[in-house]
Amino acid sequence: MSLFEQAAGKLMVALDYPSAEQARQLIERLEGIPCYMKVGMQLFYSAGPDFVKELKSRGYSVFLDLKMHDIPNTVKGGAHSITRLGVDMFNVHAAGGKKMMVAAKEGVLDALQEDSSLTMPIMIGVTQLTSTNQETLNEEIGIPGTVEQAVLSYASVTKEAGLDGVVASPLEVEAIKGRCGQNFVTVTPGIRPAGSEKGDQSRTLTPEEAIRQGTNYIVVGRPITAAPDPRSAAEQIIEEMKRAW
């Protein structure tokens, strides 16, 4: 595997579109780049499970980013359904607690037992959204302490529940790995290429900086999807990532 392919495999492109047709236009422009595709709420609620299956048929790895957060039995059922779609990764809110996350894994294992052709997806917990700053955490969400302290607490519970890793800011990767081990997966949104605007993200790093911090995957949306030339933008990000090796 070339260095380009290794770096591309760590890039998750956020398909933040209102329709499958708009997402397909981007996918066609990125054809041949072996990146992950991230399907979030907007696209999934519009295009549904069939679009996930379409991405899999095109050979892409898929991160289904629905951030499940409900009572344990409901999340267990949701995880069961998601696993049957064949996704490679999905997430739940760590704020739902250990029992909820354990139930999610039970749902996955039930689906695998029912259908041996399925593969085990990577299961991750959402710690704190990268739009969350200190003021929001303390005064609006009502959690005391620093953002990093809250993130590490959620990461620890996620590991105890038997999940594979967490979604977190790239700024917290080193601390998470120190607390939960180097094999604990980190998926990091809030990535902005050098010179780009932060938008509504509060805690960001460049692609190169994030990889140097040790993250396993970076999530990039608007710097690619809103670029005049999305393919060139994606290739530039991959080149930035390569510099971290």
Side-chain angles (χ1 to χ4, degrees):
M1 182 183 295
S2 69
L3 190 55
F4 180 88
E5 291 171 325
Q6 289 182 53
K10 290 178 174 285
L11 171 63
M12 294 179 160
V13 177
L15 299 177
D16 294 332
Y17 292 101
S19 72
E21 183 53 41
Q22 288 171 285
R24 288 189 191 104
Q25 291 176 19
L26 177 76
I27 291 166
E28 288 168 4
R29 298 184 75 171
L30 299 181
E31 187 174 355
I33 298 176
C35 56
Y36 249 86
M37 292 296 176
K38 185 179 84 70
V39 177
M41 296 179 193
Q42 183 181 28
L43 182 56
F44 189 76
Y45 294 161
S46 169
D50 286 345
F51 186 71
V52 173
K53 294 175 182 176
E54 178 183 330
L55 287 173
K56 292 299 299 178
S57 71
R58 289 174 178 255
Y60 285 106
S61 295
V62 176
F63 170 25
L64 187 56
D65 179 21
L66 299 183
K67 303 181 179 71
M68 290 191 293
H69 187 176
D70 213 312
I71 62 172
N73 193 58
T74 298
V75 171
K76 179 179 179 179
H80 182 278
S81 297
I82 285 173
T83 303
R84 292 191 63 83
L85 276 179
V87 303
D88 301 274
M89 180 185 294
F90 74 92
N91 58 7
V92 301
H93 261 295
K98 184 176 178 179
K99 286 185 178 180
M100 188 202 76
M101 290 190 280
V102 168
K105 188 163 186 177
E106 289 172 351
V108 170
L109 295 175
D110 285 350
L112 295 175
Q113 189 171 26
E114 293 167 8
D115 186 348
S116 61
S117 69
L118 298 171
T119 57
M120 174 74 81
I122 299 170
M123 292 174 282
I124 56 177
V126 178
T127 55
Q128 286 295 328
L129 302 178
T130 49
S131 58
T132 300
N133 57 27
Q134 188 75 39
E135 181 181 2
T136 301
L137 181 76
N138 299 155
E139 299 182 15
E140 298 176 19
I141 301 175
I143 297 177
T146 66
V147 173
E148 183 173 296
Q149 286 170 337
V151 167
L152 289 176
S153 176
Y154 280 140
S156 296
V157 174
T158 301
K159 184 177 182 180
E160 290 172 10
L163 272 60
D164 302 297
V166 291
V167 181
S169 159
L171 297 173
E172 287 118 28
V173 167
E174 191 172 358
I176 290 168
K177 298 279 189 178
R179 172 77 63 88
C180 299
Q182 293 301 311
N183 293 329
F184 196 65
V185 174
T186 53
V187 177
T188 49
I191 303 299
R192 291 292 181 264
S196 67
E197 296 182 1
K198 287 188 176 183
D200 58 4
Q201 304 283 6
S202 294
R203 309 193 316 278
T204 69
L205 288 181
T206 68
E208 180 182 356
E209 289 170 337
I211 296 299
R212 288 191 186 280
Q213 288 293 318
T215 196
N216 299 92
Y217 301 97
I218 67 170
V219 179
V220 182
R222 283 163 288 184
I224 293 175
T225 60
D229 185 345
R231 186 180 189 88
S232 177
E235 290 174 341
Q236 179 181 340
I237 288 169
I238 293 169
E239 289 301 318
E240 284 190 45
M241 294 166 71
K242 284 169 59 179
R243 292 199 290 268
W245 262 270

